[in-house]
Structures are given as C-alpha cells and as structure tokens.
Amino acid sequence: MLSKESAAERPLSPTERTRLGRSSHKARSDRSELYALLDEGLVCHLGVVVDGAPRVVPTGYGRIDDTLYLHGSTGARSLREGGEVCVTVTLLDGIVMARSAFHHSMNHRSAMVFGTPRVVTDPEEHAAGLRAITEQLAPGRWDAVRGPNAKESAATRVLALSLAEASVKVRTGPPADEPADLDTPVWAGVLPVRTVFAPPVTDPDLAHDLPVPAHVSARVTDG
Amino acid sequence: MLSKESAAERPLSPTERTRLGRSSHKARSDRSELYALLDEGLVCHLGVVVDGAPRVVPTGYGRIDDTLYLHGSTGARSLREGGEVCVTVTLLDGIVMARSAFHHSMNHRSAMVFGTPRVVTDPEEHAAGLRAITEQLAPGRWDAVRGPNAKESAATRVLALSLAEASVKVRTGPPADEPADLDTPVWAGVLPVRTVFAPPVTDPDLAHDLPVPAHVSARVTDG
C-alpha cells in the first residue's frame, strides 16, 4: 500500500508546488543530491498538458550545470514551445515489505523539475545539449561516433529546462511498522532493486571485426 | 539522440491522442501486450494537471482485468477527484548504440493510459484494489501480512482507471543506422538493461528468528 510517511521531501526551491506535499515537514535543500540523482538516471518522464489533459512521455535527457536538456523531433507534440512541463526522474532502490499491508512501500529517489523550457536556437548550445543527452545514456559515445549532420540537427528540437524549481524525494531504510505490529510473527525487510547492464549484443550488421569498446564493456555489471 | 523511428506505436484504442504520434503508421492493437507490460512493471508515472500545469508523480499500481488501481493518502494533491490523468509505465530493455549520434536510442516497452479515474467507494472493491497494488509490488504478500484496519482503509483513497484508452510503444533490436554509415569503423550494438533483485535485507527489528519467506527469496535474481 506504499505508505509514504517515511519519505523525506526535499524541495531545493521553496515554491508553492515543491513545498506542498505530505512530507513537506521533512523538506531540506540539497542541490548536489538533485544533480547526483539526475546523473544516475537514464530515462525521465516528461509531463506536458495537451488540450487540457496530462500526457506523460518517457524520454532521454542530459544535464549541464543547472540546465536539463531534452530533445525530440521538431514534429513531436510533447515538445511544442510555450507550455509548462514537469520532468520526473525516479530510481527504484528497493521493495519495502512491512508486517502490515498498509506500510508496504518503495525505497526510491525521485526528482521533479518544474518550468517552461526554452527552445534552443544557438547552434553551439544545440550541439552541447545533444551531446549531454547522448552521453547521459551512453558515456564516451559522442566522441566515438559520427556527429549530427545539418539535416539531423535541423530535424531535432532541443529544449533547455532550468533546474531552478526542483524537489528531491528519498525513502530509505527498513519498513516503518506500527509499534503494535512489531511482535507479530511476520517476516519484514527490504528486497533491494538494482538496474544492471548485461554483456553487449553487437549489431549483426557490423561491417568490421571491431571489439566492444571500453566505454561499453566497462559498464557491464551482470554476467 | 534517441531517435524513435524504429519504435512501433501500438494504440489499443484508436482515440485521437493514442493514434497521433510520430510512429503511428506502425500502430497495432494488442491488449495482451498491454497487460503483460503492466504486470511486469513496479512503478508508474502518474500525470495530473494542477493549477493548469503538469505534475508527474511516481507511484505504485495494480491491475485487475481491464482496470488499473492507484492509491494514495486522502490528502494527496495528485489524487483529487475529477481530473483526467495519464499513467505511463516504462520498462527499459537496452541502450542502443549506433554509428551516428542521431540514431542512438533506447530499447523499451512503455504503456500510456488516459482517462478520468473513479474514486472507489465500495468496500469490497477498495480492498481488492489495495490487494492488487500490494501484490503488484510484492506478490504473495497480501495473505502473509496484517490487512488494513478501518482507520488505515479510511485514510487511503483508491482510484480506478479504465484501460479502455491506452497505447503501447515498443522498440527492440539493433540500431537503425543510415546506410551510408554502415561501413564506418565504429562499433555498434545494444547494451541490455535489466532490473534485478538482490538478496533481501531483513528488518533489524524483527522480533522473531523468522526465515525469509519463499515469496520473497524466490524473486532474488542477483547474488
């Protein structure tokens, strides 16, 4: 039932919407934690409003200092100019199993960023944003591959979102059971959840007998 | 740069917003794939509109037949009655590394569900929804632990969202490079991404010398 009473909500900017929340009494400011969380994630969930209704799209992202970069086709509905967005990055760390259904929960770290993105028009920033997005997903890759040509760059919209209005929420540790339940003969604890990388699968169309480069093989954590 | 041209968008209901999209020409209807994806996920991203702006919150969920259940505190802002929501579940399967930056992508499966949730008031459905949400996260747990008491049930809002309007998007396979790039001496392939469970960490406050139950230990896939 995923109770959230142990979670620490950590607004980094005390605006109305980052301050409000059930656990706001645990709020604290820690921008380095926001950066670390964003740098660890691979996928964000981009929320936009289309025709008055919410729309949540998974997509890649990249960070440079206090700016988050997003990208997409110039035709993508979720990346049109002008509207506010909410970008959420969630890292699941564990399944919290309590002695009562009510206190089941998830150990996790999540960041929410609010703002109105700016469409990047400067060619240098456009390229830097694309580089950040590519390197977020595949570190070391940008310098190893063919960069975008003029046609590809023109087809790709890059958005810049300030990290000024953001919050970080973290839940860690064992279940938070009711005192009256502590003596019941029910096992309780945490099942840790990890994201791992398996050995790479080479493209069957690879024209040369090229080894897997170190920037790929060094990431393998499983097998 | 996460190009999406290889992704197959698969609307299960041809409404305006599930049909529109860059890859809609690859749309197809496959409700069993929606169910399988939802049943595999652990976290959804719930999008709502608050004061005209999007808000995306990670949360648990459960499915019974063609209904998705969500829950939260009766005080939670994201679960107030009346508004439309978008629930997105994303499973990341691999990082696609192409010979050009432009064709980097993610192998993934994602589902988007649109609708206006109904607040569950029937006590039997309320309990069934909570059971589904708990079992989604921790299969076998509901029957092993103390169920919700009257106070806990009253404090927990359960929402039911029809899966009538939903789409599934899938990208699989190797990179989709430009023909002109195929002969370049750049390694290309996929780095598979897996979500695994590490050995459970027993609550240090466990009062009895209880073994880890099979419904927990059987899930361990790492170590």
Short mmCIF file of all heavy atoms in Angstrom, two decimals, chain A residues 1-2 22 45 55-56 60 71 73 88 90 98-99 101 104 137 141 146 181 183 187-190 192 194 196-198 201-203 208, chain B residues 1-2 17 22 45 56 60 71 73 88 90 98-99 101 104 137 141 146 181 183 187-190 192 194 196-198 201-203 208:
data_model
loop_
_atom_site.label_atom_id
_atom_site.label_comp_id
_atom_site.label_asym_id
_atom_site.label_seq_id
_atom_site.Cartn_x
_atom_site.Cartn_y
_atom_site.Cartn_z
N MET A 1 0.82 -1.20 0.00
CA MET A 1 0.00 0.00 0.00
C MET A 1 0.86 1.26 0.00
O MET A 1 0.34 2.37 -0.02
CB MET A 1 -0.96 -0.01 1.19
CG MET A 1 -2.01 -1.12 1.05
SD MET A 1 -2.92 -1.42 2.55
CE MET A 1 -3.90 0.06 2.65
N LEU A 2 2.17 1.06 0.06
CA LEU A 2 3.10 2.12 -0.31
C LEU A 2 2.92 3.40 0.50
O LEU A 2 2.81 4.50 -0.03
CB LEU A 2 2.92 2.47 -1.80
CG LEU A 2 2.83 1.28 -2.73
CD1 LEU A 2 2.65 1.74 -4.13
CD2 LEU A 2 4.02 0.40 -2.58
N ARG A 22 2.84 15.84 1.23
CA ARG A 22 2.51 15.21 2.50
C ARG A 22 3.68 15.18 3.47
O ARG A 22 3.51 15.11 4.67
CB ARG A 22 2.00 13.80 2.25
CG ARG A 22 0.70 13.80 1.47
CD ARG A 22 0.14 12.42 1.37
NE ARG A 22 0.00 11.83 2.69
CZ ARG A 22 0.45 10.63 3.00
NH1 ARG A 22 1.05 9.89 2.14
NH2 ARG A 22 0.30 10.18 4.22
N HIS A 45 10.52 11.01 -17.12
CA HIS A 45 9.13 11.06 -17.58
C HIS A 45 8.73 12.52 -17.68
O HIS A 45 8.70 13.24 -16.69
CB HIS A 45 8.22 10.25 -16.63
CG HIS A 45 8.31 8.78 -16.89
ND1 HIS A 45 9.34 8.00 -16.41
CD2 HIS A 45 7.53 7.95 -17.65
CE1 HIS A 45 9.16 6.75 -16.84
NE2 HIS A 45 8.08 6.69 -17.58
N ARG A 55 -0.19 14.45 -20.24
CA ARG A 55 0.43 13.46 -21.13
C ARG A 55 1.84 13.23 -20.59
O ARG A 55 2.59 14.18 -20.38
CB ARG A 55 0.48 14.02 -22.55
CG ARG A 55 0.93 13.03 -23.60
CD ARG A 55 0.88 13.65 -25.00
NE ARG A 55 1.30 12.70 -25.99
CZ ARG A 55 0.47 11.87 -26.64
NH1 ARG A 55 -0.82 11.90 -26.38
NH2 ARG A 55 0.93 11.00 -27.51
N VAL A 56 2.19 11.97 -20.33
CA VAL A 56 3.47 11.63 -19.71
C VAL A 56 4.25 10.73 -20.67
O VAL A 56 3.79 9.64 -21.00
CB VAL A 56 3.27 10.92 -18.35
CG1 VAL A 56 4.61 10.54 -17.75
CG2 VAL A 56 2.47 11.81 -17.40
N GLY A 60 14.81 10.43 -23.05
CA GLY A 60 16.15 10.65 -22.52
C GLY A 60 16.34 12.10 -22.14
O GLY A 60 15.50 12.97 -22.42
N HIS A 71 15.12 16.48 -25.86
CA HIS A 71 15.14 16.61 -27.31
C HIS A 71 14.03 15.77 -27.92
O HIS A 71 13.45 14.90 -27.27
CB HIS A 71 16.48 16.20 -27.88
CG HIS A 71 16.62 14.71 -28.00
ND1 HIS A 71 16.35 13.86 -26.95
CD2 HIS A 71 16.96 13.93 -29.04
CE1 HIS A 71 16.54 12.62 -27.34
NE2 HIS A 71 16.90 12.62 -28.59
N SER A 73 11.83 15.07 -32.04
CA SER A 73 11.55 15.54 -33.40
C SER A 73 10.91 16.91 -33.35
O SER A 73 10.18 17.25 -32.42
CB SER A 73 10.61 14.55 -34.09
OG SER A 73 9.92 15.19 -35.13
N THR A 88 10.17 14.23 -14.33
CA THR A 88 10.38 13.40 -13.15
C THR A 88 11.35 12.27 -13.47
O THR A 88 11.19 11.58 -14.47
CB THR A 88 9.04 12.84 -12.64
OG1 THR A 88 8.19 13.94 -12.29
CG2 THR A 88 9.24 11.96 -11.41
N THR A 90 12.98 8.88 -11.63
CA THR A 90 12.77 8.01 -10.47
C THR A 90 13.76 6.85 -10.51
O THR A 90 13.89 6.17 -11.53
CB THR A 90 11.34 7.43 -10.49
OG1 THR A 90 10.40 8.51 -10.51
CG2 THR A 90 11.09 6.57 -9.26
N ALA A 98 6.51 -4.72 4.86
CA ALA A 98 6.23 -4.49 6.27
C ALA A 98 5.39 -5.64 6.84
O ALA A 98 5.05 -6.59 6.14
CB ALA A 98 5.50 -3.17 6.42
N ARG A 99 5.06 -5.54 8.12
CA ARG A 99 4.24 -6.55 8.78
C ARG A 99 2.76 -6.32 8.51
O ARG A 99 1.92 -7.17 8.79
CB ARG A 99 4.51 -6.54 10.29
CG ARG A 99 5.96 -6.92 10.64
CD ARG A 99 6.37 -6.38 12.00
NE ARG A 99 7.78 -6.65 12.34
CZ ARG A 99 8.80 -5.89 11.96
NH1 ARG A 99 8.60 -4.82 11.20
NH2 ARG A 99 10.03 -6.20 12.32
N ALA A 101 -0.04 -4.64 5.48
CA ALA A 101 -0.14 -4.22 4.08
C ALA A 101 0.05 -2.72 3.96
O ALA A 101 0.72 -2.23 3.04
CB ALA A 101 -1.50 -4.65 3.51
N HIS A 104 3.61 -1.27 3.44
CA HIS A 104 4.45 -1.61 2.30
C HIS A 104 4.79 -0.34 1.53
O HIS A 104 3.99 0.59 1.46
CB HIS A 104 3.74 -2.63 1.39
CG HIS A 104 3.88 -4.04 1.90
ND1 HIS A 104 3.39 -4.44 3.12
CD2 HIS A 104 4.48 -5.13 1.36
CE1 HIS A 104 3.68 -5.72 3.31
NE2 HIS A 104 4.33 -6.16 2.26
N LEU A 137 23.10 8.72 -21.69
CA LEU A 137 22.68 7.36 -21.99
C LEU A 137 23.89 6.46 -22.24
O LEU A 137 23.91 5.30 -21.86
CB LEU A 137 21.80 7.39 -23.25
CG LEU A 137 20.91 6.21 -23.54
CD1 LEU A 137 19.90 6.02 -22.43
CD2 LEU A 137 20.21 6.42 -24.87
N ARG A 141 30.40 7.99 -25.82
CA ARG A 141 29.92 7.64 -27.15
C ARG A 141 30.08 8.80 -28.14
O ARG A 141 30.34 8.58 -29.32
CB ARG A 141 28.44 7.24 -27.04
CG ARG A 141 27.94 6.38 -28.17
CD ARG A 141 28.47 4.98 -28.12
NE ARG A 141 28.16 4.29 -29.37
CZ ARG A 141 28.89 3.35 -29.92
NH1 ARG A 141 30.00 2.95 -29.33
NH2 ARG A 141 28.54 2.81 -31.05
N ARG A 146 29.81 9.25 -35.44
CA ARG A 146 29.57 10.40 -36.33
C ARG A 146 28.60 11.36 -35.66
O ARG A 146 27.52 10.98 -35.22
CB ARG A 146 29.00 9.93 -37.66
CG ARG A 146 28.62 11.10 -38.58
CD ARG A 146 28.13 10.69 -39.95
NE ARG A 146 26.84 10.02 -39.96
CZ ARG A 146 25.67 10.62 -39.75
NH1 ARG A 146 25.61 11.91 -39.46
NH2 ARG A 146 24.55 9.92 -39.78
N ASP A 181 2.45 -3.87 15.77
CA ASP A 181 2.67 -4.99 14.85
C ASP A 181 4.06 -5.60 14.98
O ASP A 181 4.34 -6.65 14.39
CB ASP A 181 2.49 -4.52 13.39
CG ASP A 181 1.04 -4.23 13.05
OD1 ASP A 181 0.16 -4.91 13.61
OD2 ASP A 181 0.80 -3.33 12.22
N ASP A 183 5.70 -7.23 17.12
CA ASP A 183 5.91 -8.56 17.69
C ASP A 183 5.21 -9.68 16.92
O ASP A 183 5.31 -10.84 17.28
CB ASP A 183 5.45 -8.57 19.15
CG ASP A 183 6.02 -9.76 19.91
OD1 ASP A 183 7.22 -10.04 19.72
OD2 ASP A 183 5.24 -10.42 20.63
N TRP A 187 7.68 -12.01 8.69
CA TRP A 187 8.97 -11.51 8.23
C TRP A 187 8.79 -10.13 7.59
O TRP A 187 7.79 -9.88 6.89
CB TRP A 187 9.57 -12.45 7.18
CG TRP A 187 10.93 -11.97 6.70
CD1 TRP A 187 12.14 -12.23 7.26
CD2 TRP A 187 11.20 -11.11 5.58
NE1 TRP A 187 13.15 -11.59 6.57
CE2 TRP A 187 12.59 -10.89 5.52
CE3 TRP A 187 10.38 -10.50 4.62
CZ2 TRP A 187 13.20 -10.10 4.56
CZ3 TRP A 187 10.99 -9.70 3.66
CH2 TRP A 187 12.38 -9.51 3.62
N ALA A 188 9.74 -9.27 7.86
CA ALA A 188 9.71 -7.92 7.28
C ALA A 188 11.12 -7.53 6.87
O ALA A 188 12.10 -7.97 7.47
CB ALA A 188 9.15 -6.92 8.29
N GLY A 189 11.20 -6.73 5.83
CA GLY A 189 12.52 -6.29 5.36
C GLY A 189 12.41 -5.63 4.01
O GLY A 189 11.34 -5.19 3.60
N VAL A 190 13.55 -5.52 3.36
CA VAL A 190 13.62 -4.83 2.07
C VAL A 190 14.21 -5.77 1.02
O VAL A 190 15.22 -6.43 1.27
CB VAL A 190 14.48 -3.55 2.18
CG1 VAL A 190 14.67 -2.90 0.80
CG2 VAL A 190 13.84 -2.56 3.15
N PRO A 192 16.12 -5.45 -2.20
CA PRO A 192 16.79 -4.40 -2.99
C PRO A 192 16.56 -4.59 -4.50
O PRO A 192 16.56 -5.71 -5.00
CB PRO A 192 18.27 -4.59 -2.65
CG PRO A 192 18.29 -5.40 -1.38
CD PRO A 192 17.08 -6.28 -1.47
N ARG A 194 17.95 -3.43 -8.30
CA ARG A 194 19.12 -2.85 -8.96
C ARG A 194 18.89 -2.82 -10.47
O ARG A 194 18.30 -3.72 -11.03
CB ARG A 194 20.36 -3.69 -8.70
CG ARG A 194 20.68 -3.93 -7.23
CD ARG A 194 21.63 -2.90 -6.68
NE ARG A 194 21.92 -3.16 -5.28
CZ ARG A 194 21.24 -2.59 -4.26
NH1 ARG A 194 20.27 -1.75 -4.50
NH2 ARG A 194 21.55 -2.86 -3.01
N VAL A 196 20.97 -3.18 -13.81
CA VAL A 196 22.28 -3.68 -14.22
C VAL A 196 22.37 -3.73 -15.74
O VAL A 196 21.36 -3.72 -16.44
CB VAL A 196 22.57 -5.07 -13.62
CG1 VAL A 196 22.57 -5.01 -12.10
CG2 VAL A 196 21.58 -6.11 -14.12
N PHE A 197 23.60 -3.80 -16.22
CA PHE A 197 23.86 -3.92 -17.65
C PHE A 197 24.43 -5.29 -17.95
O PHE A 197 25.42 -5.70 -17.34
CB PHE A 197 24.84 -2.83 -18.11
CG PHE A 197 24.34 -1.43 -17.85
CD1 PHE A 197 24.86 -0.66 -16.82
CD2 PHE A 197 23.34 -0.88 -18.65
CE1 PHE A 197 24.40 0.62 -16.57
CE2 PHE A 197 22.88 0.41 -18.40
CZ PHE A 197 23.41 1.16 -17.37
N ALA A 198 23.79 -6.00 -18.87
CA ALA A 198 24.26 -7.31 -19.30
C ALA A 198 25.30 -7.14 -20.41
O ALA A 198 25.47 -6.04 -20.93
CB ALA A 198 23.08 -8.14 -19.78
N VAL A 201 25.33 -6.71 -26.96
CA VAL A 201 24.99 -7.51 -28.15
C VAL A 201 25.42 -6.71 -29.37
O VAL A 201 24.84 -5.66 -29.67
CB VAL A 201 23.47 -7.79 -28.20
CG1 VAL A 201 23.12 -8.61 -29.44
CG2 VAL A 201 23.01 -8.49 -26.92
N THR A 202 26.45 -7.21 -30.04
CA THR A 202 26.97 -6.50 -31.21
C THR A 202 25.96 -6.53 -32.36
O THR A 202 25.32 -7.55 -32.60
CB THR A 202 28.31 -7.12 -31.64
OG1 THR A 202 29.26 -6.92 -30.58
CG2 THR A 202 28.83 -6.50 -32.93
N ASP A 203 25.84 -5.42 -33.05
CA ASP A 203 24.98 -5.32 -34.23
C ASP A 203 25.38 -6.41 -35.24
O ASP A 203 26.54 -6.46 -35.65
CB ASP A 203 25.16 -3.92 -34.85
CG ASP A 203 24.20 -3.67 -36.01
OD1 ASP A 203 23.58 -4.62 -36.51
OD2 ASP A 203 24.08 -2.50 -36.41
N HIS A 208 32.93 -4.49 -39.74
CA HIS A 208 34.32 -4.79 -39.43
C HIS A 208 34.37 -5.66 -38.17
O HIS A 208 33.42 -5.70 -37.41
CB HIS A 208 35.10 -3.50 -39.20
CG HIS A 208 35.00 -2.53 -40.35
ND1 HIS A 208 35.83 -2.59 -41.44
CD2 HIS A 208 34.13 -1.51 -40.58
CE1 HIS A 208 35.50 -1.63 -42.30
NE2 HIS A 208 34.46 -0.96 -41.79
N MET B 1 20.98 10.44 -29.15
CA MET B 1 19.95 11.38 -29.60
C MET B 1 18.60 10.68 -29.73
O MET B 1 17.60 11.30 -30.07
CB MET B 1 20.36 12.01 -30.91
CG MET B 1 21.51 12.99 -30.71
SD MET B 1 22.28 13.45 -32.26
CE MET B 1 21.01 14.49 -32.95
N LEU B 2 18.60 9.39 -29.41
CA LEU B 2 17.36 8.70 -29.12
C LEU B 2 16.32 8.83 -30.22
O LEU B 2 15.17 9.14 -29.97
CB LEU B 2 16.76 9.25 -27.83
CG LEU B 2 17.75 9.40 -26.67
CD1 LEU B 2 17.04 9.94 -25.48
CD2 LEU B 2 18.46 8.12 -26.36
N ARG B 17 -5.74 10.90 -29.21
CA ARG B 17 -4.42 11.06 -28.58
C ARG B 17 -3.62 9.77 -28.54
O ARG B 17 -2.41 9.83 -28.37
CB ARG B 17 -4.56 11.67 -27.19
CG ARG B 17 -5.45 10.92 -26.26
CD ARG B 17 -5.67 11.76 -25.02
NE ARG B 17 -6.74 11.18 -24.21
CZ ARG B 17 -7.28 11.76 -23.18
NH1 ARG B 17 -6.85 12.95 -22.79
NH2 ARG B 17 -8.24 11.18 -22.50
N ARG B 22 4.47 10.06 -33.72
CA ARG B 22 5.38 10.04 -34.85
C ARG B 22 5.42 8.69 -35.55
O ARG B 22 5.74 8.61 -36.71
CB ARG B 22 6.78 10.43 -34.38
CG ARG B 22 6.83 11.87 -33.89
CD ARG B 22 8.23 12.27 -33.54
NE ARG B 22 9.11 12.06 -34.67
CZ ARG B 22 10.26 11.44 -34.58
NH1 ARG B 22 10.68 10.96 -33.44
NH2 ARG B 22 11.02 11.29 -35.64
N HIS B 45 4.28 6.28 -13.66
CA HIS B 45 4.36 7.73 -13.50
C HIS B 45 2.99 8.31 -13.81
O HIS B 45 2.49 8.20 -14.92
CB HIS B 45 5.46 8.31 -14.39
CG HIS B 45 6.83 8.12 -13.78
ND1 HIS B 45 7.51 6.92 -13.86
CD2 HIS B 45 7.60 8.95 -13.04
CE1 HIS B 45 8.67 7.05 -13.20
NE2 HIS B 45 8.76 8.27 -12.70
N VAL B 56 4.04 15.18 -12.46
CA VAL B 56 4.28 13.76 -12.71
C VAL B 56 4.84 13.12 -11.44
O VAL B 56 5.91 13.53 -10.96
CB VAL B 56 5.27 13.57 -13.88
CG1 VAL B 56 5.54 12.09 -14.12
CG2 VAL B 56 4.72 14.22 -15.16
N GLY B 60 2.98 3.40 -7.01
CA GLY B 60 2.64 2.01 -7.29
C GLY B 60 1.29 1.90 -7.97
O GLY B 60 0.53 2.88 -8.05
N HIS B 71 -3.48 4.39 -5.64
CA HIS B 71 -3.91 4.72 -4.29
C HIS B 71 -3.03 5.82 -3.73
O HIS B 71 -1.94 6.11 -4.24
CB HIS B 71 -3.85 3.50 -3.40
CG HIS B 71 -2.45 3.22 -2.90
ND1 HIS B 71 -1.39 3.12 -3.75
CD2 HIS B 71 -1.96 3.05 -1.66
CE1 HIS B 71 -0.30 2.88 -3.05
NE2 HIS B 71 -0.61 2.85 -1.79
N SER B 73 -2.83 8.81 -0.08
CA SER B 73 -3.49 9.43 1.06
C SER B 73 -4.71 10.22 0.58
O SER B 73 -4.72 10.77 -0.53
CB SER B 73 -2.52 10.38 1.75
OG SER B 73 -3.22 11.35 2.49
N THR B 88 1.77 6.35 -17.12
CA THR B 88 2.78 5.77 -18.02
C THR B 88 3.65 4.79 -17.26
O THR B 88 4.14 5.09 -16.17
CB THR B 88 3.64 6.90 -18.64
OG1 THR B 88 2.77 7.76 -19.39
CG2 THR B 88 4.71 6.33 -19.56
N THR B 90 7.04 2.42 -17.93
CA THR B 90 8.14 2.26 -18.87
C THR B 90 9.10 1.18 -18.39
O THR B 90 9.53 1.20 -17.24
CB THR B 90 8.92 3.59 -19.00
OG1 THR B 90 8.01 4.62 -19.40
CG2 THR B 90 10.04 3.47 -20.03
N ALA B 98 24.44 3.42 -31.86
CA ALA B 98 24.54 3.40 -33.32
C ALA B 98 25.90 3.94 -33.76
O ALA B 98 26.73 4.31 -32.94
CB ALA B 98 23.41 4.22 -33.91
N ARG B 99 26.08 3.98 -35.05
CA ARG B 99 27.33 4.52 -35.63
C ARG B 99 27.28 6.04 -35.72
O ARG B 99 28.30 6.68 -35.96
CB ARG B 99 27.57 3.91 -37.01
CG ARG B 99 27.79 2.39 -36.99
CD ARG B 99 27.44 1.75 -38.31
NE ARG B 99 27.57 0.30 -38.34
CZ ARG B 99 26.59 -0.55 -37.93
NH1 ARG B 99 25.46 -0.10 -37.43
NH2 ARG B 99 26.79 -1.86 -38.00
N ALA B 101 25.51 9.62 -33.78
CA ALA B 101 24.86 10.09 -32.56
C ALA B 101 23.33 10.10 -32.73
O ALA B 101 22.58 9.71 -31.84
CB ALA B 101 25.37 11.48 -32.19
N HIS B 104 21.28 6.95 -31.85
CA HIS B 104 21.26 6.35 -30.51
C HIS B 104 19.81 6.33 -30.01
O HIS B 104 19.02 7.22 -30.31
CB HIS B 104 22.16 7.12 -29.57
CG HIS B 104 23.60 6.71 -29.70
ND1 HIS B 104 24.31 6.86 -30.87
CD2 HIS B 104 24.45 6.09 -28.84
CE1 HIS B 104 25.53 6.38 -30.72
NE2 HIS B 104 25.65 5.91 -29.50
N LEU B 137 3.57 -5.12 -6.32
CA LEU B 137 4.90 -4.81 -5.80
C LEU B 137 5.52 -6.01 -5.11
O LEU B 137 6.72 -6.25 -5.22
CB LEU B 137 4.76 -3.66 -4.79
CG LEU B 137 5.99 -2.88 -4.41
CD1 LEU B 137 6.56 -2.16 -5.61
CD2 LEU B 137 5.64 -1.88 -3.30
N ARG B 141 2.34 -11.34 -0.79
CA ARG B 141 2.47 -10.63 0.47
C ARG B 141 1.13 -10.42 1.18
O ARG B 141 1.08 -10.44 2.41
CB ARG B 141 3.11 -9.27 0.17
CG ARG B 141 3.81 -8.61 1.34
CD ARG B 141 5.08 -9.31 1.73
NE ARG B 141 5.55 -8.79 3.01
CZ ARG B 141 6.22 -9.49 3.91
NH1 ARG B 141 6.53 -10.75 3.66
NH2 ARG B 141 6.62 -8.94 5.05
N ARG B 146 -0.69 -8.45 8.02
CA ARG B 146 -1.94 -7.90 8.56
C ARG B 146 -2.59 -7.01 7.51
O ARG B 146 -1.95 -6.11 6.96
CB ARG B 146 -1.66 -7.08 9.83
CG ARG B 146 -2.93 -6.39 10.36
CD ARG B 146 -2.71 -5.66 11.67
NE ARG B 146 -1.86 -4.48 11.57
CZ ARG B 146 -2.20 -3.32 11.00
NH1 ARG B 146 -3.40 -3.18 10.44
NH2 ARG B 146 -1.36 -2.30 10.98
N ASP B 181 26.38 4.97 -43.26
CA ASP B 181 27.25 4.84 -42.08
C ASP B 181 27.66 3.40 -41.80
O ASP B 181 28.51 3.14 -40.94
CB ASP B 181 26.54 5.38 -40.84
CG ASP B 181 26.42 6.90 -40.87
OD1 ASP B 181 27.30 7.55 -41.44
OD2 ASP B 181 25.42 7.43 -40.32
N ASP B 183 29.38 1.14 -43.10
CA ASP B 183 30.74 0.65 -43.32
C ASP B 183 31.78 1.38 -42.46
O ASP B 183 32.97 1.09 -42.54
CB ASP B 183 31.10 0.76 -44.81
CG ASP B 183 32.33 -0.08 -45.13
OD1 ASP B 183 32.38 -1.24 -44.67
OD2 ASP B 183 33.24 0.45 -45.81
N TRP B 187 32.07 0.59 -33.63
CA TRP B 187 31.29 -0.50 -33.05
C TRP B 187 29.86 -0.02 -32.80
O TRP B 187 29.63 1.13 -32.39
CB TRP B 187 31.90 -0.96 -31.71
CG TRP B 187 31.12 -2.10 -31.10
CD1 TRP B 187 31.29 -3.43 -31.33
CD2 TRP B 187 30.04 -1.99 -30.17
NE1 TRP B 187 30.38 -4.16 -30.61
CE2 TRP B 187 29.59 -3.31 -29.88
CE3 TRP B 187 29.38 -0.92 -29.55
CZ2 TRP B 187 28.53 -3.58 -29.00
CZ3 TRP B 187 28.33 -1.19 -28.68
CH2 TRP B 187 27.92 -2.51 -28.41
N ALA B 188 28.92 -0.90 -33.05
CA ALA B 188 27.52 -0.59 -32.81
C ALA B 188 26.83 -1.82 -32.23
O ALA B 188 27.23 -2.95 -32.50
CB ALA B 188 26.84 -0.17 -34.12
N GLY B 189 25.84 -1.58 -31.41
CA GLY B 189 25.12 -2.70 -30.79
C GLY B 189 24.21 -2.20 -29.69
O GLY B 189 23.90 -1.01 -29.62
N VAL B 190 23.80 -3.14 -28.85
CA VAL B 190 22.87 -2.83 -27.77
C VAL B 190 23.48 -3.27 -26.44
O VAL B 190 24.02 -4.38 -26.33
CB VAL B 190 21.52 -3.55 -27.99
CG1 VAL B 190 20.60 -3.35 -26.79
CG2 VAL B 190 20.85 -3.05 -29.27
N PRO B 192 22.24 -4.36 -23.06
CA PRO B 192 20.97 -4.72 -22.41
C PRO B 192 20.89 -4.18 -20.97
O PRO B 192 21.89 -4.18 -20.25
CB PRO B 192 20.99 -6.25 -22.40
CG PRO B 192 22.01 -6.65 -23.42
CD PRO B 192 23.03 -5.55 -23.39
N ARG B 194 18.82 -4.52 -17.34
CA ARG B 194 17.94 -5.43 -16.61
C ARG B 194 17.65 -4.87 -15.22
O ARG B 194 18.51 -4.25 -14.60
CB ARG B 194 18.61 -6.79 -16.42
CG ARG B 194 19.07 -7.46 -17.70
CD ARG B 194 18.03 -8.40 -18.27
NE ARG B 194 18.50 -9.02 -19.49
CZ ARG B 194 18.26 -8.53 -20.72
NH1 ARG B 194 17.57 -7.42 -20.88
NH2 ARG B 194 18.72 -9.16 -21.79
N VAL B 196 17.02 -6.16 -11.54
CA VAL B 196 17.20 -7.40 -10.79
C VAL B 196 16.95 -7.15 -9.30
O VAL B 196 16.96 -5.99 -8.83
CB VAL B 196 18.62 -7.98 -10.98
CG1 VAL B 196 18.87 -8.32 -12.45
CG2 VAL B 196 19.68 -7.02 -10.47
N PHE B 197 16.72 -8.24 -8.59
CA PHE B 197 16.50 -8.17 -7.14
C PHE B 197 17.69 -8.81 -6.44
O PHE B 197 18.05 -9.94 -6.72
CB PHE B 197 15.22 -8.90 -6.77
CG PHE B 197 13.99 -8.32 -7.41
CD1 PHE B 197 13.37 -8.97 -8.48
CD2 PHE B 197 13.45 -7.13 -6.97
CE1 PHE B 197 12.23 -8.44 -9.08
CE2 PHE B 197 12.31 -6.59 -7.57
CZ PHE B 197 11.71 -7.24 -8.63
N ALA B 198 18.28 -8.07 -5.52
CA ALA B 198 19.40 -8.57 -4.72
C ALA B 198 18.84 -9.30 -3.49
O ALA B 198 17.65 -9.21 -3.20
CB ALA B 198 20.29 -7.40 -4.32
N VAL B 201 17.13 -7.80 2.66
CA VAL B 201 17.73 -7.31 3.91
C VAL B 201 16.65 -7.36 4.98
O VAL B 201 15.67 -6.61 4.93
CB VAL B 201 18.23 -5.86 3.72
CG1 VAL B 201 18.82 -5.33 5.02
CG2 VAL B 201 19.22 -5.77 2.57
N THR B 202 16.83 -8.26 5.93
CA THR B 202 15.82 -8.43 6.98
C THR B 202 15.79 -7.20 7.89
O THR B 202 16.83 -6.63 8.22
CB THR B 202 16.13 -9.70 7.79
OG1 THR B 202 16.00 -10.84 6.93
CG2 THR B 202 15.18 -9.85 8.96
N ASP B 203 14.59 -6.80 8.26
CA ASP B 203 14.40 -5.68 9.20
C ASP B 203 15.18 -5.96 10.49
O ASP B 203 14.97 -6.99 11.13
CB ASP B 203 12.89 -5.56 9.50
CG ASP B 203 12.58 -4.35 10.37
OD1 ASP B 203 13.50 -3.73 10.93
OD2 ASP B 203 11.38 -4.01 10.46
N HIS B 208 11.25 -12.05 15.88
CA HIS B 208 11.38 -13.50 15.92
C HIS B 208 12.46 -13.92 14.93
O HIS B 208 12.81 -13.19 14.02
CB HIS B 208 10.05 -14.16 15.57
CG HIS B 208 8.92 -13.68 16.42
ND1 HIS B 208 8.63 -14.25 17.65
CD2 HIS B 208 8.03 -12.68 16.25
CE1 HIS B 208 7.59 -13.62 18.18
NE2 HIS B 208 7.21 -12.65 17.36
#
